[in-house]
Amino acid sequence: MPTETTLSSAPLFSFALYMLAVLALAYFSARVRSKGSFVSEYFLGSRSLGVWALALTFAATAASGGTFVGFPALIYTHGWILALWIAGYMMVPIVGMGLLGKRLNQVSQRAKALTLPEVLANRLASPIAGAVATLLITFFMFCYLLAQFKAGSKILATLLTDVPLFQSIVSGLHAAKASVPVLATVEADYLLCLTIFAVVVIAYVVYGGFRAVVWTDVMQGIIMLLGVIIMLVLVLAQTGGLTKANQRLATMTPPEFGQVTVTRNDSASAGTLPKGTWLRTEDQGVIRLAIPCVFPDTSTQADKVDALIITTPWEIEQIHSKIANTPITATITSRTPYAYGAGQAGVYLSGPGPDSESKLGYLSLTLAFSFFIFWAFGTAGQPSNMVRLMAFQETRTLRYAIVTVALYFSAIYFTLVVIFCCGRTLLPGMEIDPDRTMPQLATTLTANAGIPWLAGLLLAAPFAAVMSSVDSFLLVASSSLVRDIYQKFIRPDADEHRLKRLSYLATALVGIAAFLASLKPPEYLQGIIVFASGGVAAAFLVPMVGVLFWRRLNGPGLIAGMLGGTLTHLALYLYEHYQAPVPLNPFVWDQFGAAIAMIGVTLATKKPAASLVEIYFGRTDTPS
């Protein structure tokens, strides 16, 4: 019979196999590297992507940590309305790959370009435009890397929390880091997981380059889909099916936030109740601590402790049966109900969905429409996705990949909505830390099924989503530094050997810089993801459409478009109380800012040379 230690370590072993497979793919991808130009191979895989490689690397890159961390948290919190919120993602391959794919591939080959800034610079004969693009990509990609490094570390920490070996290493690290000033305030478990994550992802990207990123993306795309399917089977089996889950969801009412006074009978010594502890109330209700509860000295009472108050009767009964009889009770001193949905049964099944802050609910129809635009067009504007569109073999590959990615996204995102709507009936009280909903549900489902080792595979899915985004952004940032700054402005005559060494070094340095910055990451993970992904889309979507399809566009117009979109994005982001007459995602206004600036400056400045236009559009008398 397995021991408790064996069971708690089981997820670690299955997860370790996944990590070994990632490193093995990096090794073999480097061994089969083509004999052509190192720079072309390292940053673009010699433009040799086939259907499955293009489809899965595009899909895996687009699915970041938000897919398996932020998105499940929103489903859990707001219910079925998230199906409407994410519906636009099914259009990503049609818009992103269909709108830009074929033309971008053609232009990049005619421009003899290996990076996105190089496409812009060569297409318009404007080195300054390429330099501006490089700076914008580096800035926003670095911000995005911070969020993904933090997400990867948090997922690892959740997986390894109950592993004895992990806890013993954390204890030793806690004592060791105290003597290092820069590490003194960093939590030991976070530091250990951040180090593991950084070492693995930097190692395989540095060693394997673009081909390693693509190969691991293919594997990670398969793991993400497999993890979602397994979770769907487990959650439906444990809830009795979708119909029964919805019947229970229909009777649920949103919880309330409040403060409690916690009283205990034992006053012999001080103690602490950890965050997440369930307690009975004096009126036989239940609350969950949102912060640790500390009893000072020998006091029997702790006042003003933040807590989540459960309001659904059957949930209260279910939790009662699992709480041990302890001499600790809570008295509710204040309550704050949801702004929309408080006391309403069935609010999780209908729009606009419950919301703790907005009286209008979570998702109005106008916001749903703007998110439809944001997902479809915003993802198309990501440089990491554009790079993949420069690397496929032929148009037939693109057509089949569009269909494949559309089906893949449908299978992933709509299935996640089903999983976490059902999972809400199994896992109460996650509003205290919603970003942990996915890993917590994965461990709960596998423990209930008696197969705890499977948690390692299920948690490999969100980890794969994070890694597939990190590796892509590392390569985009390092390629911009090597190809678009060093080779263009510092050493145009640099040989292959020098570029090879510098490519390795740049990739490693970007990763190390992200690791160091992540030691003290921003407090809110989702905020910086939205800022960074929205920022690059603001800077590049409209300008790239102009580069590919507008003959009249010139260098000053392109620069104005990139800066116009970026400044609009920054202005709306910094103005925290942004309010529009019609509630739309700021992304929509970013595109207006970019378009107005690009068109206005282009028409006010000199036309591009006819010889330059002829290269990309064919012979014409006057560009228009």
Side-chain angles (χ1 to χ4, degrees):
M1 182 176 180
T3 64
E4 183 178 347
T5 298
T6 302
L7 290 175
S8 61
S9 300
L12 176 61
F13 296 131
S14 54
F15 190 80
L17 291 176
Y18 158 74
M19 299 292 282
L20 289 174
V22 168
L23 295 176
L25 282 175
Y27 172 76
F28 286 114
S29 67
R31 290 292 296 264
V32 301
R33 186 175 291 156
S34 78
K35 303 300 183 182
S37 164
F38 169 81
V39 175
S40 175
E41 167 64 25
Y42 190 78
F43 290 128
L44 214 57
S46 299
R47 302 183 192 269
S48 60
L49 294 189
V51 174
W52 287 105
L54 175 61
L56 288 177
T57 190
F58 187 96
T61 300
S64 71
T67 298
F68 288 94
V69 177
F71 184 49
L74 292 177
I75 300 168
Y76 181 93
T77 305
H78 305 292
W80 276 99
I81 192 63
L82 265 294
L84 186 60
W85 184 83
I86 201 62
Y89 224 86
M90 309 315 112
M91 300 297 294
V92 166
I94 298 173
V95 175
M97 303 174 80
L99 174 66
L100 303 178
K102 181 178 179 180
R103 180 63 177 158
L104 178 55
N105 191 276
Q106 292 173 344
V107 170
S108 67
Q109 292 191 51
R110 293 179 186 179
K112 296 180 173 59
L114 301 179
T115 67
L116 186 62
E118 194 174 16
V119 170
L120 304 180
N122 293 358
R123 157 71 177 85
L124 297 171
S126 175
I128 297 177
V132 171
T134 298
L135 293 175
L136 291 175
I137 286 175
T138 303
F139 171 69
F140 284 119
M141 291 300 95
F142 191 77
C143 292
Y144 198 95
L145 281 173
L146 299 187
Q148 298 301 316
F149 268 58
K150 179 181 178 181
S153 305
K154 291 294 185 181
I155 293 168
L156 266 184
T158 301
L159 172 69
L160 302 176
T161 295
D162 297 324
V163 177
L165 176 61
F166 175 74
Q167 292 299 337
S168 63
I169 296 175
V170 167
S171 298
L173 184 61
H174 181 76
K177 74 180 183 65
S179 59
V180 183
V182 71
L183 301 178
T185 59
V186 182
E187 295 179 1
D189 59 343
Y190 175 75
L191 176 60
L192 177 58
C193 291
L194 180 65
T195 303
I196 295 171
F197 177 82
V199 168
V200 172
V201 74
I202 292 172
Y204 82 74
V205 177
V206 168
Y207 186 70
F210 185 83
R211 194 177 296 274
V213 169
V214 170
W215 284 16
T216 52
D217 279 356
V218 170
M219 183 190 74
Q220 288 161 346
I222 294 171
I223 287 176
M224 283 188 273
L225 182 59
L226 183 61
V228 166
I229 292 172
I230 293 173
M231 285 192 73
L232 178 65
V233 172
L234 290 177
V235 79
L236 290 178
Q238 294 179 27
T239 57
L242 183 59
T243 300
K244 287 187 177 180
N246 275 336
Q247 288 172 351
R248 292 174 73 82
L249 204 61
T251 64
M252 293 184 70
T253 54
E256 298 177 348
F257 298 96
Q259 290 190 326
V260 298
T261 297
V262 181
T263 306
R264 62 175 185 168
N265 293 340
D266 181 12
S267 61
S269 60
T272 301
L273 296 176
K275 173 182 176 179
T277 300
W278 289 101
L279 295 174
R280 288 186 175 90
T281 63
E282 290 181 334
D283 59 357
Q284 293 304 302
V286 290
I287 61 97
R288 193 178 194 190
L289 297 181
I291 60 173
C293 174
V294 180
F295 294 97
D297 301 325
T298 57
S299 173
T300 60
Q301 195 172 83
D303 294 325
K304 295 184 178 179
V305 181
D306 293 338
L308 185 77
I309 305 166
I310 303 300
T311 62
T312 304
W314 67 260
E315 274 193 299
I316 295 174
E317 294 178 12
Q318 186 180 71
I319 297 165
H320 269 169
S321 65
K322 298 179 181 179
I323 301 177
N325 258 332
T326 62
I328 303 176
T329 57
T331 302
I332 299 172
T333 58
S334 67
R335 294 173 176 264
T336 303
Y338 267 41
Y340 179 87
Q344 296 182 32
V347 71
Y348 290 102
L349 295 177
S350 61
D355 196 288
S356 61
E357 298 179 358
S358 173
K359 294 181 179 180
L360 300 176
Y362 178 69
L363 192 69
S364 66
L365 287 178
T366 52
L367 272 178
F369 176 72
S370 67
F371 269 110
F372 191 90
I373 297 173
F374 175 73
W375 292 129
F377 289 91
T379 305
Q382 304 298 310
S384 55
N385 292 336
M386 292 183 187
V387 168
R388 272 127 184 89
L389 299 178
M390 295 163 58
F392 62 83
Q393 291 175 327
E394 55 188 359
T395 303
R396 176 177 170 273
T397 298
L398 178 64
R399 289 200 301 267
Y400 287 140
I402 289 173
V403 176
T404 303
V405 175
L407 293 175
Y408 181 90
F409 280 163
S410 299
I412 289 285
Y413 287 101
F414 288 135
T415 302
L416 284 173
V417 175
V418 175
I419 290 170
F420 288 95
C421 281
C422 293
R424 180 175 179 82
T425 67
L426 295 176
L427 200 67
M430 290 306 299
E431 286 88 352
I432 65 167
D433 194 355
D435 281 345
R436 290 192 61 187
T437 299
M438 191 282 170
Q440 188 62 53
L441 182 61
T443 54
T444 299
L445 290 174
T446 53
N448 290 346
I451 42 178
W453 62 267
L454 190 57
L457 177 60
L458 295 184
L459 290 181
F463 197 75
V466 173
M467 289 184 72
S468 61
S469 294
V470 169
D471 58 27
S472 300
F473 289 126
L474 272 179
L475 213 56
V476 168
S478 62
S479 66
S480 295
L481 294 174
V482 174
R483 182 76 171 177
D484 303 313
I485 294 181
Y486 181 80
Q487 195 174 11
K488 293 291 183 185
F489 296 101
I490 301 175
R491 288 291 298 273
D493 60 341
D495 59 26
E496 285 282 302
H497 182 65
R498 180 183 292 273
L499 291 175
K500 180 177 181 178
R501 289 187 301 170
L502 190 61
S503 298
Y504 290 152
L505 180 62
T507 306
L509 288 178
V510 172
I512 292 170
F515 165 77
L516 294 175
S518 299
L519 291 174
K520 294 183 179 180
E523 182 178 1
Y524 297 105
L525 177 69
Q526 195 63 23
I528 196 168
I529 290 177
V530 171
F531 167 75
S533 58
V536 288
F540 292 105
L541 177 57
V542 167
M544 179 54 71
V545 172
V547 164
L548 298 180
F549 300 105
W550 192 19
R551 298 168 182 265
R552 176 65 173 82
L553 182 65
N554 56 21
L558 173 63
I559 294 171
M562 290 189 292
L563 294 179
T566 301
L567 293 176
T568 303
H569 181 72
L570 292 176
L572 293 176
Y573 186 85
L574 293 174
Y575 183 39
E576 296 180 356
H577 302 291
Y578 155 74
Q579 293 288 337
V582 178
L584 295 174
N585 189 288
F587 168 82
V588 178
W589 306 116
D590 296 344
Q591 304 314 306
F592 279 121
I596 292 170
M598 183 180 75
I599 295 171
V601 172
T602 296
L603 296 179
T605 52
K606 187 178 178 180
K607 294 179 180 180
S611 58
L612 182 64
V613 175
E614 185 176 342
I615 295 173
Y616 299 98
F617 293 93
R619 188 173 183 86
T620 182
D621 295 330
T622 56
S624 58

